[in-house]
């Protein structure tokens, strides 16, 4: 695949992150994560085409199975079970959120991170965009009040980190990636169970109303 096509895929991941910041519906957040994970699967499939490794193809299939199919199924089941139609709000209003998103993107492309984004000079734009997606994912975790959105933020950060590693040529062995995917799958199950328990206990996934945890 050409660099321009991969940049287009990364731009989709970036736009999905922006959408995750402004979306008000829980189901939309889950769908957005699913499409972002699908974009990551395309990036990893490109690595498979370059290397021809069967194990890497297994990693791609596991990414699609866990991130594109199973994780959204768990989250949608959680939403339907607890009637979580609308996502919990953010700490910062939408205009200021968009300003911070623009600032984080500018920082990712700045000279301050040039040594990091220029590890492979030919992939400079891809690495800078991957770094911007990482920053936006961290900001999503911090800015969202809802536990479900924060979980999606963590998973989105993991997606962007994998994309950065791929374009930086820092790929680990396929067995290690399979092990990490297994850990992520177990983490998704545990986080979904805990999120469900939190809702049953507090009647909300808004982390700001969980003051009873201090008692």
């Amino acid at each position: 695949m050409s660099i321009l096509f991969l940049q287009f895929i990364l731009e989709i991941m970036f736009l999905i992150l922006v959408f995750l910041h402004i979306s008000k519906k829980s189901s939309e957040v889950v769908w957005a994560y699913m499409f972002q994970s699908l974009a990551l699967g395309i990036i990893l499939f490109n690595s498979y085409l370059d290397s021809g490794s069967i194990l890497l193809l297994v990693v791609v299939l596991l990414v699609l199975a866990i991130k594109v199919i199973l994780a959204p199924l768990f989250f949608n089941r959680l939403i339907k079970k607890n009637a979580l139609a609308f996502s919990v709000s953010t700490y910062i209003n939408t205009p200021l959120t968009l300003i911070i998103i623009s600032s984080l993107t500018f920082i990712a492309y700045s000279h301050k991170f040039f040594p990091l984004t220029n590890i492979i000079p030919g992939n400079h734009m891809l690495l800078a965009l991957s770094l911007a997606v990482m920053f936006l994912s961290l900001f999503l975790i911090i800015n969202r009040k809802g536990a479900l959105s924060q979980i999606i933020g963590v998973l989105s950060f993991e997606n962007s980190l994998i994309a950065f590693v791929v374009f930086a040529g820092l790929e680990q062995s396929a067995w290690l990636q399979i092990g990490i995917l297994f850990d992520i799958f177990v983490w998704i199950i545990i986080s979904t169970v805990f999120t469900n328990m939190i809702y049953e206990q507090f009647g909300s996934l808004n982390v700001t109303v969980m003051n009873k945890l201090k008692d």
Side-chain angles (χ1 to χ4, degrees):
M1 299 179 189
S2 68
I3 293 290
L4 287 177
F5 180 76
L6 293 173
Q7 186 172 337
F8 172 71
I9 296 298
L10 264 180
E11 287 170 350
I12 290 177
M13 292 181 69
F14 177 84
L15 291 175
I16 287 174
L17 240 307
V18 176
F19 177 78
L20 283 171
H21 275 280
I22 60 177
S23 175
K24 302 299 182 186
K25 290 186 177 180
S26 297
S27 58
E28 291 177 351
V29 171
V30 175
W31 277 101
Y33 169 72
M34 187 188 75
F35 283 113
Q36 189 197 54
S37 298
L38 181 61
L40 176 66
I42 294 173
I43 292 172
L44 290 174
F45 184 71
N46 177 70
S47 294
Y48 158 70
L49 292 178
D50 290 339
S51 66
S53 170
I54 297 300
L55 279 177
L56 193 51
L57 180 60
V58 173
V59 171
V60 175
L61 294 176
L62 284 174
V63 166
L64 296 177
I66 294 174
K67 291 174 170 288
V68 180
I69 299 175
L70 292 178
L73 280 177
F74 278 116
F75 293 140
N76 280 323
R77 184 179 177 184
L78 179 71
I79 291 170
K80 289 180 180 177
K81 182 178 179 181
N82 299 306
L84 304 173
F86 295 96
S87 177
V88 182
S89 60
T90 58
Y91 289 99
I92 303 173
N93 60 39
T94 300
L96 187 55
T97 295
L98 292 175
I99 291 173
I100 294 176
I101 287 174
S102 302
S103 301
L104 290 173
T105 304
F106 175 79
I107 292 171
Y109 278 90
S110 68
H111 285 288
K112 190 175 184 63
F113 289 96
F114 184 78
L116 184 62
T117 57
N118 204 45
I119 295 176
I120 298 180
N123 288 347
H124 171 69
M125 293 300 293
L126 297 175
L127 289 169
L129 192 53
S130 299
L131 189 63
V133 178
M134 289 170 65
F135 287 164
L136 265 58
S137 298
L138 288 174
F139 179 48
L140 180 68
I141 299 170
I142 297 169
N143 193 32
R144 280 287 186 175
K145 294 180 180 178
L148 178 61
S149 296
Q150 291 179 348
I151 292 172
I152 296 291
V154 172
L155 293 171
S156 177
F157 176 78
E158 191 258 346
N159 281 350
S160 58
L161 182 62
I162 292 176
F164 185 90
V165 167
V166 169
F167 294 125
L170 303 174
E171 293 176 75
Q172 301 295 324
S173 71
W175 286 112
L176 179 59
Q177 294 182 43
I178 291 172
I180 293 173
L181 281 171
F182 177 76
D183 288 344
I184 291 171
F185 178 60
V186 173
W187 182 81
I188 289 171
I189 295 174
I190 294 174
S191 62
T192 304
V193 171
F194 270 94
T195 303
N196 190 54
M197 292 172 64
I198 288 172
Y199 187 83
E200 289 179 353
Q201 179 69 29
F202 295 96
S204 171
L205 292 182
N206 189 339
V207 296
T208 62
V209 301
M210 299 176 189
N211 296 326
K212 292 181 180 178
L213 289 174
K214 298 178 180 177
D215 298 335

